[in-house]
Amino acid sequence: GFTNIFKTEYNVVNVSKLNIFPSGTEITPRELLRAGLIKSLSPPTKILGDGDIRHPLSVKADKFSATAERKIIAAGGKVEKA
C-alpha cells in the first residue's frame, strides 16, 4: 500500500463538544487543551460538524469543516482560522 508521508494529522473536535463552554466564550486550541478536549497543541486543530451547538461561541482553530462553520455561524457565533 501507499502511505502519504505529507498527510497532516489533526486534533479533531466535534461542534457538539463545544457546548461545555458558556455562551459568548472565545475558544482557542489552548482552551480546548485546558478542557481536556485535545491532548496536545502540537498537531493543528480541526473542528468537525458532528452534533449541534446550542449557543453562540467565537471559535479559533486551524481548520473547520464546512458543516462545522455553518453550524457555529447559524448559532450566532464566529469562526476564525488561526
Side-chain angles (χ1 to χ4, degrees):
F2 173 75
T3 303
N4 184 355
I5 61 170
F6 301 106
K7 179 180 178 188
T8 304
E9 293 291 328
Y10 288 96
N11 284 318
V12 176
V13 179
N14 286 306
V15 290
S16 61
K17 301 277 187 186
L18 301 179
N19 287 315
I20 65 168
F21 295 99
S23 181
T25 305
E26 182 177 300
I27 301 169
T28 63
R30 194 167 302 285
E31 295 298 321
L32 295 171
L33 180 67
R34 244 182 251 138
L37 295 176
I38 60 175
K39 293 187 185 344
S40 167
L41 292 174
S42 60
T45 302
K46 183 173 184 177
I47 308 297
L48 299 180
D50 191 34
D52 290 316
I53 188 163
R54 294 188 290 267
H55 47 270
L57 297 168
S58 177
V59 185
K60 292 181 181 179
D62 298 294
K63 205 163 187 184
F64 293 87
S65 71
T67 308
E69 262 189 73
R70 278 197 306 273
K71 287 182 179 183
I72 293 169
I73 292 169
K78 287 188 250 173
V79 171
E80 187 177 326
K81 293 180 181 154

